[in-house]
Amino acid sequence: MGIITDDAALSAMPRTAAKADAVVLLPEVGSTNTYARELIEREGEGRWPFASPSAVAVVATDRQTAGRGRLDHVWTSAAGESFTVSFVACVPRALATDDTVNGWLQMIAGLSALDALREAAGETGGGGLKLKWPNDLFCGGLKLGGILAEMVMLPGELDRVAVIFGIGINLAVPADRLPTPQSTSLQLHFALGRSGEGQAVDTAALRDRIAARLVASLRLRLDALIRDPHAEAPRLAGETRSLCWTLGHRVSIHYTDGTTLEATALALNDDASLTVRDDAGATRTVRTADVDVLNH
């Protein structure tokens, strides 16, 4: 249990409170990432347990009204339907600013989310869970959730920074309320512990199980990357290639300057970048962009 874990979190997220160093649970908030960032900037280490290099703090909400995705996409959620949780960790500034390895920070959050989702879905039932480069969770070829990683300066710190991983997952969104035809929800693929036909998913308990497992996985994966980033990066690349929904598919790349490109995704590189081949046959390296898989 962490130093700022509140009574609401202790009651509704006991497994997460036991695993994380701090947990805040809000009934409603605009954005869990924004709330976490403002708390860090306002309170610094006075309320966040970053004295330990392995500390992970959690901000969760029942309902998010102004969530942000990659490239300013909007992510909203209704109570009882979605997983809207931000995870806060501290990493060396040298790692966060090293372009040869820092792409793995966001990818590690995706791998940790898959660890948690596979456990929640049952060890034999998670085969359809994949990552879409660089920040989406997919199931059965459809978008299940997304991840937004943000770096925040720690007040008074020169050598370390905080990284906020905002993770949104459709847990029990009915098919007729999914945001797009390319979206899906966890309950549409897995039984999720329902005890009888037609019974609703206990999304509060499910959120707690997923968040607790995610904290543990995120801590282990970050610790390994921090210890030896240039040795860990190739290992992460090997693991991620087998889970990457993007590879081998025709994709549409949306760059931050507003331009787009259609290409075929060829390879995931050791620095977490993506190699694609355009229609002229030229290969390109993509490091910062939003990538949609076409015709799926």
Side-chain angles (χ1 to χ4, degrees):
M1 185 176 65
I3 57 174
I4 62 167
T5 298
D6 56 28
D7 291 341
L10 284 171
S11 175
M13 302 182 71
R15 292 176 176 169
T16 306
K19 292 286 186 183
D21 296 87
V23 185
V24 174
L25 175 60
L26 307 164
E28 180 177 306
V29 72
S31 162
T32 54
N33 267 32
T34 299
Y35 186 94
R37 185 183 69 246
E38 291 174 349
L39 190 55
I40 292 169
E41 292 172 345
R42 183 173 67 247
E43 304 291 349
E45 290 194 21
R47 298 195 67 196
W48 289 93
F50 289 140
S52 166
S54 298
V56 178
V58 173
V59 175
T61 187
D62 295 328
R63 181 172 182 263
Q64 183 170 256
T65 60
R68 295 171 292 111
R70 193 175 174 89
L71 301 183
D72 294 325
H73 293 171
V74 176
W75 182 288
T76 60
S77 65
E81 293 185 353
S82 300
F83 179 98
T84 45
V85 183
S86 292
F87 300 82
V88 188
C90 188
V91 302
R93 183 188 295 263
L95 170 61
T97 57
D98 184 345
D99 291 341
T100 66
V101 291
N102 62 10
W104 289 111
L105 290 171
Q106 181 159 262
M107 300 296 285
I108 276 176
L111 290 169
S112 299
L114 289 192
D115 290 340
L117 288 169
R118 280 194 295 264
E119 183 174 289
E123 290 298 331
T124 62
L129 293 164
K130 301 287 184 182
L131 292 176
K132 181 177 75 67
W133 189 95
N135 66 316
D136 285 338
L137 307 168
F138 264 50
C139 186
L142 298 169
K143 183 174 178 177
L144 180 66
I147 299 166
L148 177 66
E150 299 181 87
M151 186 172 67
V152 181
M153 299 299 107
L154 284 169
E157 284 274 359
L158 296 178
D159 298 328
R160 301 187 303 161
V161 299
V163 182
I164 305 172
F165 304 98
I167 301 179
I169 303 169
N170 296 324
L171 296 181
V173 182
D176 61 355
R177 294 195 58 234
L178 289 167
T180 71
Q182 291 76 43
S183 303
T184 192
S185 180
L186 205 64
Q187 72 165 357
L188 301 177
H189 297 267
F190 305 108
L192 302 179
R194 285 174 287 191
S195 58
E197 184 67 27
Q199 292 196 5
V201 176
D202 184 349
T203 51
L206 181 60
R207 175 182 63 186
D208 188 28
R209 292 204 309 272
I210 292 172
R213 180 67 174 86
L214 216 154
V215 166
S217 181
L218 188 62
R219 181 181 284 124
L220 286 173
R221 290 181 179 278
L222 284 174
D223 282 352
L225 186 65
I226 290 168
R227 280 196 304 272
D228 194 343
H230 292 283
E232 184 66 7
R235 193 206 66 77
L236 286 168
E239 178 184 5
T240 308
R241 286 178 189 121
S242 65
L243 299 168
C244 187
W245 173 246
T246 314
L247 294 181
H249 286 146
R250 182 84 172 161
V251 297
S252 177
I253 304 164
H254 304 268
Y255 292 100
T256 54
D257 64 2
T259 61
T260 62
L261 171 72
E262 289 194 6
T264 300
L266 299 179
L268 178 68
N269 305 310
D270 285 355
D271 64 354
S273 64
L274 188 69
T275 295
V276 302
R277 183 177 58 240
D278 65 22
D279 291 341
T283 57
R284 303 181 182 218
T285 300
V286 183
R287 291 185 169 84
T288 303
D290 196 27
V291 175
D292 292 328
V293 175
L294 301 177
N295 301 323
H296 287 278

